[in-house]
């Protein structure tokens, strides 16, 4: 397979983003006819979060850094929790 240049990858990325924006806008207009605004925004957020989680798992395997666990322990201790 042929490697894409930076300009071609950028143009392809912009095209994909604009298609996603157009689809999102069409779905929101269709949903807002039946649902209140905040319910529609919640559904859109949940759907987007699920897609981004799937993309993160696909691209990196969603590796949790060891430093992040240490930060959570510090936060837990500061709010009065007991250390494990």
């Amino acid at each position: 397979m042929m490697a894409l240049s930076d300009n071609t990858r950028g143009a392809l990325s912009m095209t994909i983003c604009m298609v996603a924006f157009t689809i999102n806008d069409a779905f929101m207009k269709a949903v807002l006819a039946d649902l209140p605004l905040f319910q529609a925004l919640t559904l859109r957020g949940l759907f987007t979060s699920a897609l981004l989680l799937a993309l993160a798992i696909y691209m990196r395997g969603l590796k949790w850094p060891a430093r992040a666990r240490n930060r959570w322990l510090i936060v837990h201790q500061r709010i009065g929790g007991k250390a494990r």
Side-chain angles (χ1 to χ4, degrees):
M1 187 171 184
M2 195 169 141
L4 298 176
S5 69
D6 288 341
N7 286 339
T8 304
R9 282 189 293 142
L12 184 62
S13 176
M14 286 297 295
T15 303
I16 291 170
C17 289
M18 290 306 298
V19 168
F21 177 78
T22 304
I23 291 170
N24 179 30
D25 190 47
F27 282 154
M28 287 302 291
K29 286 182 180 179
V31 167
L32 283 173
D34 297 327
L35 287 177
L37 174 65
F38 291 112
Q39 287 181 359
L41 290 176
T42 301
L43 286 175
R44 181 178 71 174
L46 290 173
F47 183 70
T48 302
S49 296
L51 284 177
L52 289 176
L53 180 63
L55 183 65
I57 290 170
Y58 173 75
M59 292 182 71
R60 293 189 51 175
L62 196 63
K63 297 176 185 171
W64 194 262
R67 290 181 10 198
R69 183 177 185 280
N70 293 337
R71 289 184 195 139
W72 282 109
L73 279 174
I74 292 169
V75 170
H76 184 68
Q77 289 172 353
R78 288 186 68 185
I79 62 172
K82 295 180 181 177
R84 293 182 196 179

